[in-house]
Amino acid sequence: MGLKAGIVGLPNVGKSTLFNAITNSSVEAANYPFATINPNVGTVLVPDERVDNLSKLFNPRKTIYTTFEFCDIAGLVKGASKGEGLGNQFLSHIRDTDAIIEVVRCFEDSEIIHVENSVDPIRDIEIINLELVMADLDTCSNRLGKIENKARISKDKEALAEVNLLIKFKDKLQKGEALRGISLNDDEQKIVKNFNFLTLKPIIYVANVSDAELADIQNCENYKKVLDYATKENSQCIPICCQVEAELATYSKEEKKDFLDSLGVEQSGLDLLVTSAYKLLNLSTFFTVGADEVRARTFKNGMLAPDCAGIIHTDFKKGFIKAEVYTYQDIMTYKTEQALKEAGKVRIEGKEYVAKDGDIFFFRFNV
């Protein structure tokens, strides 16, 4: 499954530095607005110690982690929805993502320019979020202008349902509110699927703090402001020192672990961000294992076994017969598949089986 999160924020808040850390790449991170114009895209591994443990157990020729794509989108500014600062181009890049990572500057540094000339994280969040709201309002208004009268005259049920939903959206957007708080049924989900409304996308706020503030995060006033804002809208907030994480990304796996151990933490801020973004989209992982490869595969929670088989190959779904299933916990306890079978821990599941995080599948099919 191709999954992408867009990293957004005002210019010079640490977006490109964060992107460098995530991908261990070297995109430009210059100290002036619009240093990033074309979106940089990087694919990262979703950290999962289960993959490491399964690989040690099966000793495969290949070990493949599930991945997540991050897109570094150029800085938005006030008026972006009206085209300011190449805004329309940047907003179109956000439309192509599944989730939004909004980087908010929480640190003071007189040597790093702030486009608004002062550090105020809530003001910055509201600038970005209002631009996203205004872009969605334009989308709503344009679509209603094309179909509203026609739907009223024709009495077409599907067109009327779309009009009614868009009117509900427009009312909320006109109040300056994001759409992600609206609960949608299956039919409404189908209606909005092709619109790519920006404020329907799930969001994580990254509070970019200094290294000193990170060490005493509970007393960082700017972080607490962002956390409070995120909590009120039922979103996530993760404190990260982007500069430290960029340096960490250059360390070896062992050096990184030693450094994190010295801080008394299990995960770096970036690992936490990647796993949080993965969960934000209601995703889980199943595994396929064997002598050839141990592989993690992403699926949407609620998917049935044949749909998971189709993630491997469309023929697997078309010709699905059954799935042999056991859990990650059980294989780590019994160590071999033979021992699992003798203990009755391998199940045969059919087309109605709902996949669970940590399932290990062997699919039987016939095309």
Side-chain angles (χ1 to χ4, degrees):
M1 297 177 67
L3 301 163
K4 184 191 290 185
I7 303 173
V8 305
L10 293 176
N12 296 342
V13 296
K15 298 182 313 303
S16 293
T17 304
L18 176 64
F19 180 80
N20 288 345
I22 287 174
T23 61
N24 197 16
S25 63
S26 55
V27 299
E28 187 173 15
N31 182 24
Y32 55 90
F34 312 118
T36 310
I37 295 176
N38 296 316
N40 299 284
V41 178
T43 301
V44 297
L45 303 179
V46 176
D48 192 333
E49 66 176 6
R50 296 175 297 180
V51 180
D52 301 324
N53 293 335
L54 288 170
S55 187
K56 291 174 185 175
L57 205 59
F58 286 88
N59 194 27
R61 283 185 276 276
K62 289 190 295 182
T63 298
I64 303 174
Y65 294 77
T66 190
T67 60
F68 203 102
E69 200 167 76
F70 283 87
C71 180
D72 176 32
I73 296 168
L76 293 170
V77 293
K78 195 180 294 182
S81 61
K82 303 300 180 186
E84 291 296 325
L86 303 177
N88 287 331
Q89 181 182 348
F90 302 159
L91 289 167
S92 71
H93 294 149
I94 304 172
R95 292 192 194 282
D96 293 334
T97 65
D98 301 295
I100 294 173
I101 310 297
E102 185 167 332
V103 182
V104 186
R105 179 171 165 181
C106 291
F107 65 90
E108 299 281 354
D109 189 330
S110 59
E111 295 185 4
I112 298 178
I113 299 165
H114 192 292
V115 71
E116 293 292 326
N117 299 315
S118 64
V119 174
D120 183 341
I122 302 306
R123 177 205 58 205
D124 294 356
I125 287 173
E126 289 176 345
I127 288 173
I128 296 295
N129 289 0
L130 182 59
E131 294 306 323
L132 302 183
V133 163
M134 295 305 294
D136 280 353
L137 183 57
D138 283 346
T139 300
C140 240
S141 298
N142 291 339
R143 180 59 178 168
L144 280 170
K146 291 178 181 177
I147 70 164
E148 188 170 9
N149 289 336
K150 185 178 179 181
R152 301 292 186 204
I153 294 169
S154 70
K155 305 295 184 184
D156 180 82
K157 286 185 179 180
E158 289 186 2
L160 283 171
E162 181 179 333
V163 167
N164 290 335
L165 181 60
L166 290 176
I167 288 173
K168 182 167 72 171
F169 278 11
K170 186 175 179 180
D171 288 344
K172 192 169 181 67
L173 292 164
Q174 284 178 326
K175 296 174 185 174
E177 298 174 2
L179 299 176
R180 67 180 63 88
I182 296 179
S183 179
L184 301 175
N185 60 37
D186 290 344
D187 290 336
E188 290 171 333
Q189 291 277 10
K190 290 176 184 176
I191 291 172
V192 302
K193 186 176 181 181
N194 295 323
F195 288 105
N196 278 328
F197 284 112
L198 302 175
T199 64
L200 268 180
K201 297 179 187 295
I203 191 167
I204 295 176
Y205 295 99
V206 168
N208 186 13
V209 300
S210 68
D211 53 351
E213 288 166 332
L214 187 63
D216 188 24
I217 196 63
Q218 298 308 318
N219 289 316
C220 177
E221 291 303 318
N222 281 334
Y223 163 68
K224 288 193 287 186
K225 290 176 184 177
V226 178
L227 178 62
D228 183 59
Y229 186 98
T231 302
K232 286 178 180 176
E233 67 168 36
N234 200 29
S235 296
Q236 297 182 58
C237 174
I238 299 174
I240 289 179
C241 177
C242 294
Q243 191 60 51
V244 167
E245 295 290 343
E247 293 173 15
L248 258 183
T250 65
Y251 291 1
S252 68
K253 192 172 183 178
E254 293 74 20
E255 289 171 333
K256 183 177 177 180
K257 184 179 184 305
D258 289 343
F259 182 79
L260 293 175
D261 286 344
S262 71
L263 296 177
V265 297
E266 294 182 4
Q267 277 188 306
S268 71
L270 294 181
D271 283 349
L272 182 59
L273 176 60
V274 173
T275 53
S276 294
Y278 189 74
K279 292 176 182 176
L280 184 69
L281 293 172
N282 196 30
L283 304 174
S284 288
T285 304
F286 74 85
F287 305 98
T288 52
V289 299
D292 285 338
E293 70 175 28
V294 163
R295 184 165 187 158
R297 300 178 187 270
T298 301
F299 71 95
K300 282 269 189 185
N301 288 325
M303 286 179 69
L304 301 178
D307 298 316
C308 289
I311 290 172
I312 300 174
H313 197 286
T314 53
D315 284 349
F316 283 29
K317 180 177 180 178
K318 290 177 184 176
F320 180 91
I321 299 172
K322 61 183 179 181
E324 294 183 10
V325 191
Y326 57 86
T327 68
Y328 166 79
Q329 289 83 357
D330 283 342
I331 190 62
M332 297 312 297
T333 299
Y334 289 87
K335 304 303 181 186
T336 69
E337 290 183 333
Q338 183 60 38
L340 284 176
K341 290 176 181 177
E342 291 172 358
K345 295 295 183 180
V346 179
R347 311 186 311 277
I348 303 298
E349 301 288 358
K351 293 181 179 181
E352 299 305 312
Y353 177 70
V354 179
K356 297 177 180 63
D357 185 55
D359 277 348
I360 298 173
F361 280 116
F362 179 76
F363 295 109
R364 298 196 179 277
F365 70 102
N366 184 25
V367 177

